[in-house]
Amino acid sequence: MKYLFIDESGDHNLLPNKIDPQFPMFILTGVVFESKEYQKFKVKLLNFKKEIFNKKRIVLHSKELTRPNKARQKELGLLTDSTSRLIFYTKLNEILEKTDFEILVYSINKGKFHNMFKDIPVDLYFLGFTKIINSFKSKLDHTENIKIITESRNKKLDKQFLLTCENTKVLDGHKHLQLKIQSKSWKYSGLELADLISYRISRKLSNKPAKPIGNEIDLNVILHKIVYKEQFETNEKGKRIRTSP
């Protein structure tokens, strides 16, 4: 059994007045696990949460980790302390370094994308999903069971996404493949990881400087695990080009 967890960083809104120039990127990230490795990772992550927060039922979500003083999960307030934050990220980086998984990344500069397709409605999420799925399927053994888990956005977008998948037959060609849409939960460690990696890559592609050691995921821990990376980009003349993260 293989698992593919998918999550995004940045929203899919292409309206010029809605694009944040500080974070212009839309990133869709897939994290691939073999079943046994994923089960080991889940145990390690739950034990890590217990050690740091004295509670396993914590959801690691980039939005809250970067603003722990405003986190809905009160336990994350611990990370406002610099020493606790250093311990948290040091141990998290160690777990990620010692865990075997692969990363698939598709990224889009929304401002440049809008300039190229301003009169054409484009679903950035589905575009990224298609790219990641095609890359993932190209390496599959067609006899193995596959479970794809994407994060739920809202009922309307989830329904639209499923209908588009069905109509385009993007998931056809593998009879052992399952797709599940799931809200973020402490039970789905793979979705938590996809969220954290997506956010870290989005900072890199938005040209944000690295934070001091002990304040974020170490980019060197994840870069060598990326097996597919594509960035939709355009040059000054609007011609499509691709670069890597």
Side-chain angles (χ1 to χ4, degrees):
M1 165 81 79
K2 267 196 175 74
Y3 290 91
L4 170 60
F5 297 93
I6 296 178
D7 199 5
E8 80 270 21
S9 180
D11 63 63
H12 54 270
N13 198 321
L14 285 172
L15 295 176
N17 63 333
K18 296 292 186 180
I19 298 175
D20 182 354
Q22 298 301 314
F23 280 95
M25 305 301 296
F26 175 81
I27 313 290
L28 199 66
T29 299
V31 177
V32 182
F33 278 99
E34 294 287 351
S35 181
K36 289 183 179 179
E37 187 69 12
Y38 178 57
Q39 300 309 320
K40 290 192 293 184
F41 172 69
K42 284 178 65 176
V43 172
K44 286 190 288 186
L45 196 65
L46 289 172
N47 289 339
F48 164 70
K49 293 176 188 177
K50 178 67 175 178
E51 179 184 354
I52 300 294
F53 302 110
N54 197 33
K55 183 179 179 181
K56 290 185 176 182
R57 296 186 179 189
I58 294 288
V59 180
L60 300 183
H61 185 199
S62 294
K63 186 176 182 180
E64 291 196 299
L65 293 181
T66 54
R67 301 176 182 85
N69 59 318
K70 297 182 179 180
R72 292 183 179 181
Q73 301 173 96
K74 62 181 181 179
E75 293 83 1
L76 296 183
L78 177 71
L79 300 182
T80 58
D81 173 69
S82 59
T83 300
S84 298
R85 193 164 60 250
L86 174 61
I87 293 171
F88 172 85
Y89 278 108
T90 299
K91 293 190 174 183
L92 178 60
N93 282 321
E94 289 175 358
I95 290 173
L96 300 188
E97 180 66 53
K98 294 177 181 178
T99 301
D100 185 17
F101 61 90
E102 295 180 338
I103 302 170
L104 315 172
V105 183
Y106 189 75
S107 59
I108 296 172
N109 184 310
K110 294 188 292 182
K112 294 181 179 180
F113 190 93
H114 172 264
N115 290 337
M116 189 172 182
F117 295 105
K118 62 180 63 178
D119 298 320
I120 305 172
V122 179
D123 183 339
L124 296 190
Y125 186 93
F126 187 73
L127 172 60
F129 178 81
T130 302
K131 292 288 187 177
I132 285 176
I133 289 299
N134 286 340
S135 172
F136 178 60
K137 286 170 64 177
S138 69
K139 302 173 183 179
L140 290 179
D141 176 347
H142 285 261
T143 63
E144 61 187 331
N145 292 318
I146 307 297
K147 183 172 285 188
I148 301 171
I149 303 173
T150 68
E151 188 204 358
S152 174
R153 293 178 288 168
N154 61 51
K155 289 183 178 180
K156 181 179 179 180
L157 290 175
D158 291 347
K159 184 176 181 180
Q160 177 181 316
F161 171 66
L162 289 173
L163 286 172
T164 305
C165 285
E166 183 178 345
N167 290 336
T168 58
K169 303 186 184 303
V170 69
L171 297 176
D172 286 1
H174 197 298
K175 63 181 179 180
H176 301 292
L177 189 152
Q178 306 172 51
L179 173 63
K180 180 176 183 179
I181 298 177
Q182 174 65 45
S183 299
K184 273 192 173 66
S185 166
W186 63 272
K187 296 179 181 179
Y188 288 86
S189 302
L191 278 183
E192 293 176 275
L193 181 57
D195 171 271
L196 298 179
I197 291 175
S198 229
Y199 177 74
R200 183 63 187 91
I201 291 175
S202 75
R203 280 186 51 81
K204 172 65 175 177
L205 293 181
S206 297
N207 296 316
K208 298 294 182 184
K211 295 180 181 179
I213 293 174
N215 287 271
E216 65 181 351
I217 290 175
D218 183 350
L219 200 60
N220 292 321
V221 169
I222 59 177
L223 283 181
H224 67 94
K225 297 180 185 289
I226 298 177
V227 297
Y228 165 76
K229 52 187 177 182
E230 183 176 340
Q231 180 174 338
F232 189 104
E233 186 62 279
T234 60
N235 59 20
E236 293 84 356
K237 296 181 180 180
K239 183 178 179 180
R240 180 179 175 183
I241 59 176
R242 291 189 181 95
T243 59
S244 61

